[in-house]
Amino acid sequence: MKLPVIRHLQKNNDKEKLENTLEVLESFCDHRSVSEEEMDVIGELISNICGALEVQNMIDEGMPERDAANNFMKKVLSSIDK
C-alpha cells in the first residue's frame, strides 16, 4: 500500500468507479491463466483501491482528509505489528 497512490485514487475517482474497478480486478484474478506475478500486481492494486475507499468513507463521515489518510495508515501499521 502506498499512501500517495491511495490519496490520488481517492481524490480523482468517485466511489462507484473505484468499486467497479475493484470488481473487475477481483474477477480477473479468478481466471486460471493469471500468473503469480500478475496476481502480485493486482493484489497491490486491489489493496490501494480498498484503501482509497476506506479513506473516502472516513471523509464522508466528517473526518478531515488529512486525518482520514493518517488514521488509515496507522490502522494498517498496527495490523502489521500484530
Side-chain angles (χ1 to χ4, degrees):
M1 278 187 205
K2 297 180 181 179
L3 188 54
V5 173
I6 291 170
R7 283 183 170 167
H8 177 80
L9 290 171
Q10 175 266 317
K11 287 181 179 180
N12 295 299
N13 298 283
D14 62 35
K15 239 179 186 177
E16 185 178 345
K17 188 185 293 185
L18 291 172
E19 289 169 347
N20 290 339
T21 303
L22 190 58
E23 288 178 27
V24 170
L25 290 172
E26 289 171 343
S27 176
F28 181 83
C29 288
D30 290 339
H31 196 273
R32 66 178 184 263
S33 69
V34 177
S35 70
E36 282 297 315
E37 184 178 338
E38 291 169 326
M39 286 289 248
D40 290 342
V41 171
I42 293 168
E44 182 69 20
L45 292 170
I46 288 173
S47 67
N48 285 317
I49 292 169
C50 288
L53 287 167
E54 191 163 336
V55 169
Q56 187 59 51
N57 285 337
M58 287 187 254
I59 292 169
D60 291 346
E61 292 172 357
M63 188 177 290
E65 185 177 322
R66 183 180 182 132
D67 292 343
N70 288 335
N71 285 345
F72 173 74
M73 288 312 291
K74 285 178 188 175
K75 182 179 174 181
V76 169
L77 292 174
S78 70
S79 70
I80 292 172
D81 290 338
K82 291 181 181 179

